[in-house]
Amino acid sequence: MNGLAEAAGSFVLTRWVSRKSRVEFERWQATALRRFLDRDLPRAPFYRKAPDQLADLPVTDKALLMARFADFNIHRLTAAQAWAALAGEGRAGPLTIGASTGTSGNRGLFVISEAEKYRWLGAILAKAAPELLWRGMRVAVILPQNTGLYDSARKSRLIKLAFFDLTSGPESWRSALEAFDPTVIIAPPKILRHFASEGFRLRPKRVFSAAETLDPVDRPVIEDFFRLALDQIYMATEGLFAVTCRQGGLHLAEDSVFFEFEPAGEGLVTPLVTTFRRRTQIMARYRMNDLLRLSKEPCRCGSPLRCVDEIVGRMDDVFRLMSPDGPVLVTPDVLRNAVLKADRRIDDFRLVQTGPDRVELSLPPTFADDAAAAAHQAVQALLDARQAVATVTLVRAPLPQRLVQQADRVENKPAKVEAFVRFFNEMPVRHLIANLDTKVETLEIAGGIFPLTLNDGSEAHNCYICCPTSAYIDYAMDETRNFAAHPLLRRALSTLIGACAPLVRASGLDRQAQVNNWLYSTNPVPLLDRPTAVSLRAALTARFPDRAIVIRSLNDIADPATMAALRAEGFRMLAARQIYIFADRSAAPAMTRDMKRDRASLRATPFERVGNEDFTEADYARAAQLYTMLYLDKYTPLNPHYTARYIAEMHRRGIISLAGLRRPRGELVAVTALFENGGTLTQPIVGYDTSLPVADGLYRMMMAVAQDHATSRGLFFNMSAGAADFKRRRGAVAAIEYNAVYAGHLALRRRMAIRVMEAVLAWVGIPLLRRFEL
């Protein structure tokens, strides 16, 4: 059967099944499920034989699927082979390889055949827009990740499909989207709201929210702009799960997926899914991370398929607090409703659990004070009523940009990780970073790959990137130099740090296994969902029973889902410093006056621009000198001592790129190194000739080079710590950075020290970081 015939057959079957009664449908579904268990499931190596009944099968999840990817597809394709195919044309022979957008955590892989791809097309057309098909459709798919899944639609004369890549920013393709004039739009709700706020010229017949949870505050804005009811498509790596009908019911795709439900409290459930119409990649009793509220009533449309009243969010979004009677879970819908019902003028906010007993409510300063106070009181009252031991803090500040998705935020490429680890095993570490001792390995967990550093705590005078004692004691004590004009405050802070030193040493954190340590001051972390956190914790505690498990560089703007997953699995969040995020990934970000001045300086400077390909051996040595002048001599010798050999080899191996300024046909006067990882940019090295006049603006120009690099590629730019006012005036937003620490397997003395550290840093450290912008 050719592809379009497969699509037509799937279209007819989907429409036919939707006309059955519930009793008839359940009889048909049971037959289809039994056929899948007997014929298709045993072909996957993980299963091998048919079970007597579905309940006899084990529950699976993303961590297991990614760890044993080859055992769940009938072609024995490994995850490494699939990632390699995805990096190319997205095909492995006759198979199409795709990846999820990753909004729930680490990206998942899927493998489908040509026939399955066309069956998917027929099913989604039958559910989403059967009445528009015969008139011809122009479908705009606006998502962060294109895959071969959509290719099937392009081969139909009735459908014109255009994909618009979110990673390049809406402004880069606005004119193309408006010229395409789509009749159907599929996009995340925050992008649909962006279309409304920016007045995009669009006139679709149907609009679908997809790829992230639809927030009730967004729906009326979107519907008012398009003058259409907003529909939803609930889809993930694991399959198509629900589509809105013309009567507004969000129907589960029970004609291709068998759902089991596990209670999650508050009337919510999480689904176990068995996709009985997929034959290439087998998914049976697969646990999803989503929270659903099922409808108790059938839909007015007459379909036998059950409805979902609301996709509330994900388990990672749940606040986990303590009460005198034990743990309390507060779901996103309950929290959201508390804020929205407090005052009708509130249409945007952020609620973040910042610690075991702390919640932060952020509202823009444009909202009236009485509205903010009402929302604050409402959230605190809700938690008090649940007997949760938690304090709600109200923050009045511009809200950081809520990014559409997080999948492309950080993506460790295997080739880059392996090159990095190989480099640090080819020569002594101190030849590369002169004040560091560590061992560097590769860690592979749940389909992800990470650099892993190991320290036993005996290394003398070790750099803070592998030594929390240096970070929390030595570096913190050094920072008190910033208060030379306030001797009493400086003395008080020095006394406090000195008093905490025994506590830090008692924690034994210097004896650690640190995940994702690229040996920079800032190491953006790939998204970790809860199953991955479980796998990571289990693997590392078994291998290193006497080492703390550490993950640095987490923050609430970039990593809320990861932090929630790690907290849920027992990791402690130790506040570290205040960093600055430039999150405007549009093609033309709003330019502040200082940003314009920096670009003007860059255009007018008498120094020559040096590109990534233009660096010579002499430049590597000079780059190390310039870095030393700024970060070691001017700032503090506690910073990493990157050597010329380090800079040269990291550049030659493609791990970092370099840019700079030099005298006409002379030596470098300024340099910066850029580390691009997925959709995130960091700037691990900046240096300039500090003997030159400040008016030359060398530092300003190097920061402008990095910011322009981020903007031109649509990257999320973590600008790290320091120079707070400078970065704020260039569009950056402050965030507290945390070290996640797991110590549940360690001795009681160390566990208690880490718990006390977490509390002290939360109650004393974070206010100081924010007050003095450290």
Side-chain angles (χ1 to χ4, degrees):
M1 186 182 292
N2 66 36
L4 292 180
E6 287 278 7
S10 180
F11 182 95
V12 171
L13 175 64
T14 302
R15 299 294 292 167
W16 174 70
V17 167
S18 69
R19 290 175 168 83
K20 291 179 174 291
S21 69
R22 182 68 191 180
V23 172
E24 292 170 334
F25 170 77
E26 288 179 349
R27 189 181 304 123
W28 172 88
Q29 185 193 51
T31 301
L33 178 62
R34 187 68 257 173
R35 183 167 57 245
F36 166 81
L37 294 175
D38 291 339
R39 181 191 65 187
D40 300 320
L41 181 133
R43 298 177 67 195
F46 181 81
Y47 295 104
R48 299 188 184 279
K49 65 178 183 179
D52 291 336
Q53 55 187 351
L54 180 65
D56 293 337
L57 296 176
V59 173
T60 61
D61 57 23
K62 182 184 286 187
L64 179 61
L65 174 69
M66 295 305 295
R68 299 181 60 181
F69 192 78
D71 291 337
F72 284 92
N73 68 83
I74 64 173
H75 296 277
R76 300 300 303 267
L77 194 72
T78 67
Q81 291 169 329
W83 285 122
L86 186 66
E89 296 182 353
R91 297 189 66 84
L95 304 175
T96 294
I97 312 299
S100 65
T101 60
T103 49
S104 66
N106 283 345
R107 297 169 68 188
L109 284 166
F110 64 83
V111 180
I112 57 172
S113 66
E114 283 294 294
E116 288 172 321
K117 190 160 60 174
Y118 281 96
R119 288 188 212 121
W120 171 88
L121 174 65
I124 200 166
L125 288 175
K127 292 174 181 292
E131 74 285 358
L132 296 179
L133 178 61
W134 315 114
R135 307 178 205 171
M137 299 166 60
R138 295 181 302 279
V139 181
V141 177
I142 305 164
L143 293 172
Q145 175 77 21
N146 193 6
T147 74
L149 187 63
Y150 309 119
D151 291 343
S152 54
R154 296 188 176 101
K155 298 181 181 179
S156 169
R157 287 175 293 179
L158 294 173
I159 303 171
K160 292 182 179 179
L161 184 144
F163 180 84
F164 298 89
D165 190 350
L166 279 182
T167 62
S168 60
E171 297 309 314
S172 66
W173 39 254
R174 174 175 180 167
S175 59
L177 175 64
E178 292 176 339
F180 183 60
D181 191 22
T183 54
V184 176
I185 297 175
I186 302 171
K190 293 303 171 190
I191 281 294
L192 296 172
R193 180 163 179 158
H194 176 74
F195 293 166
S197 63
E198 296 298 319
F200 276 48
R201 295 188 299 277
L202 300 167
R203 49 178 186 175
K205 303 294 184 185
R206 292 199 77 176
V207 179
F208 290 92
S209 166
E212 65 179 34
T213 302
L214 174 61
D215 196 316
V217 301
D218 293 329
R219 179 184 285 276
V221 176
I222 297 166
E223 292 184 337
D224 183 65
F225 174 70
F226 286 110
R227 299 186 183 279
L228 292 170
L230 178 61
D231 298 319
Q232 293 186 74
I233 293 177
Y234 172 28
M235 189 167 66
T237 317
E238 299 78 16
L240 175 66
F241 292 140
V243 179
T244 304
C245 74
R246 270 305 195 184
Q247 295 296 323
L250 182 58
H251 290 272
L252 292 171
E254 294 180 290
D255 46 5
S256 59
V257 180
F258 184 82
F259 290 87
E260 301 171 82
F261 298 104
E262 298 178 316
E266 305 287 346
L268 304 178
V269 296
T270 58
L272 301 179
V273 299
T274 300
T275 54
F276 58 81
R277 288 179 67 182
R278 285 177 66 171
R279 300 173 186 171
T280 304
Q281 184 174 2
I282 304 301
M283 292 188 175
R285 307 204 76 206
Y286 182 97
R287 177 178 284 119
M288 299 292 293
N289 193 33
D290 300 314
L291 287 167
L292 309 181
R293 191 180 304 281
L294 299 176
S295 178
K296 297 178 181 179
E297 303 296 333
C299 182
R300 291 175 297 170
C301 73
S303 170
L305 308 182
R306 283 180 292 184
C307 283
V308 174
D309 280 343
E310 186 181 8
I311 303 170
V312 173
R314 296 185 171 90
M315 284 299 292
D316 290 341
D317 299 330
V318 173
F319 283 18
R320 292 169 172 82
L321 303 165
M322 292 300 296
S323 76
D325 298 324
V328 173
L329 273 61
V330 189
T331 55
D333 58 327
V334 174
L335 293 161
R336 184 189 305 122
N337 289 339
V339 176
L340 297 181
K341 289 180 180 179
D343 195 290
R344 293 183 179 179
R345 291 170 290 181
I346 296 175
D347 64 359
D348 203 3
F349 63 93
R350 303 287 187 274
L351 262 177
V352 179
Q353 184 179 350
T354 59
D357 55 0
R358 295 176 304 283
V359 172
E360 192 171 273
L361 170 64
S362 297
L363 291 166
T366 51
F367 287 165
D369 289 342
D370 60 330
H376 182 208
Q377 293 168 6
V379 176
Q380 188 67 68
L382 167 68
L383 300 183
D384 291 346
R386 298 290 303 276
Q387 294 187 305
V389 180
T391 301
V392 181
T393 303
L394 176 63
V395 176
R396 304 299 304 278
L399 299 181
Q401 180 178 350
R402 191 183 325 183
L403 299 174
V404 173
Q405 51 78 41
Q406 299 178 358
D408 65 334
R409 185 76 53 72
V410 182
E411 185 180 351
N412 285 348
K413 295 294 178 69
K416 185 175 279 192
V417 174
E418 288 162 3
F420 174 82
V421 173
R422 187 165 52 249
F423 171 41
F424 273 86
N425 282 275
E426 289 175 355
M427 59 191 74
V429 171
R430 284 199 177 248
H431 290 184
L432 306 173
I433 305 175
N435 61 339
L436 178 68
D437 281 315
T438 192
K439 182 181 179 182
V440 184
E441 296 184 359
T442 299
L443 172 69
E444 295 189 48
I445 289 285
I449 184 168
F450 309 86
L452 177 74
T453 59
L454 302 174
N455 289 82
D456 63 15
S458 64
E459 302 89 354
H461 307 294
N462 217 14
C463 181
Y464 67 84
I465 55 179
C466 288
C467 180
T469 299
S470 294
Y472 286 112
I473 301 175
D474 301 339
Y475 206 102
M477 194 69 77
D478 186 78
E479 284 285 278
T480 62
R481 72 187 187 283
N482 296 312
F483 304 103
H486 306 281
L488 291 179
L489 177 59
R490 183 178 187 179
R491 192 176 303 121
L493 290 173
S494 298
T495 301
L496 176 63
I497 295 166
C500 292
L503 178 67
V504 177
R505 294 191 182 97
S507 71
L509 282 175
D510 292 351
R511 186 169 182 79
Q512 61 167 253
Q514 188 176 150
V515 180
N516 200 58
N517 191 2
W518 290 88
L519 302 177
Y520 305 135
S521 62
T522 303
N523 301 285
V525 181
L527 285 165
L528 306 175
D529 59 12
R530 192 168 177 184
T532 304
V534 171
S535 300
L536 186 149
R537 182 192 64 195
L540 293 180
T541 55
R543 185 180 169 195
F544 305 112
D546 61 345
R547 296 180 195 250
I549 312 304
V550 178
I551 305 174
R552 288 193 294 126
S553 302
L554 296 162
N555 67 80
D556 287 326
I557 295 178
D559 309 292
T562 294
M563 292 174 67
L566 292 173
R567 279 194 185 101
E569 295 308 321
F571 281 74
R572 298 283 173 182
M573 294 294 157
L574 308 186
R577 56 183 185 160
Q578 184 158 277
I579 59 165
Y580 296 87
I581 303 291
F582 181 71
D584 189 342
R585 302 172 73 183
S586 62
M591 300 285 283
T592 67
R593 183 177 63 181
D594 292 282
M595 291 168 71
K596 293 176 182 177
R597 186 164 62 96
D598 297 344
R599 273 76 182 165
S601 297
L602 203 50
R603 289 191 297 269
T605 183
F607 299 116
E608 295 176 351
R609 294 281 291 267
V610 185
N612 186 50
E613 306 301 323
D614 303 327
F615 276 73
T616 66
E617 287 298 322
D619 290 333
Y620 295 135
R622 178 61 173 167
Q625 290 175 356
L626 296 173
Y627 170 78
T628 297
M629 288 182 190
L630 179 62
Y631 267 81
L632 306 185
D633 297 341
K634 182 177 179 180
Y635 293 163
T636 173
L638 296 173
N639 282 321
H641 291 203
Y642 296 126
T643 66
R645 179 180 290 186
Y646 168 89
I647 295 172
E649 288 300 320
M650 291 284 280
H651 182 238
R652 290 191 188 109
R653 297 173 191 231
I655 300 171
I656 59 174
S657 60
L658 296 172
L661 295 170
R662 72 164 83 250
R663 301 180 193 277
R665 295 177 299 280
E667 66 178 2
L668 289 174
V669 296
V671 68
T672 187
L674 303 176
F675 178 65
E676 188 173 329
N677 195 358
T680 293
L681 181 73
T682 57
Q683 194 174 13
I685 291 176
V686 181
Y688 66 88
D689 189 336
T690 55
S691 68
L692 294 177
V694 174
D696 285 350
L698 296 174
Y699 180 79
R700 291 191 293 107
M701 289 188 284
M702 287 298 91
M703 299 305 288
V705 165
Q707 205 166 29
D708 287 347
H709 182 96
T711 295
S712 67
R713 290 163 174 77
L715 303 177
F716 180 98
F717 183 17
N718 187 325
M719 299 178 77
S720 196
D725 184 60
F726 176 94
K727 292 171 182 176
R728 287 183 189 276
R729 289 161 59 182
R730 285 155 180 82
V733 176
I736 299 298
E737 184 181 88
Y738 296 86
N739 298 323
V741 176
Y742 184 78
H745 59 304
L746 301 179
L748 177 62
R749 178 171 176 267
R750 294 178 67 184
R751 294 202 311 269
M752 292 306 298
I754 291 168
R755 180 173 293 191
V756 174
M757 279 183 66
E758 181 184 40
V760 170
L761 289 167
W763 289 103
V764 180
I766 290 178
L768 287 173
L769 291 172
R770 286 178 171 156
R771 172 65 179 84
F772 298 108
E773 299 185 323
L774 298 175

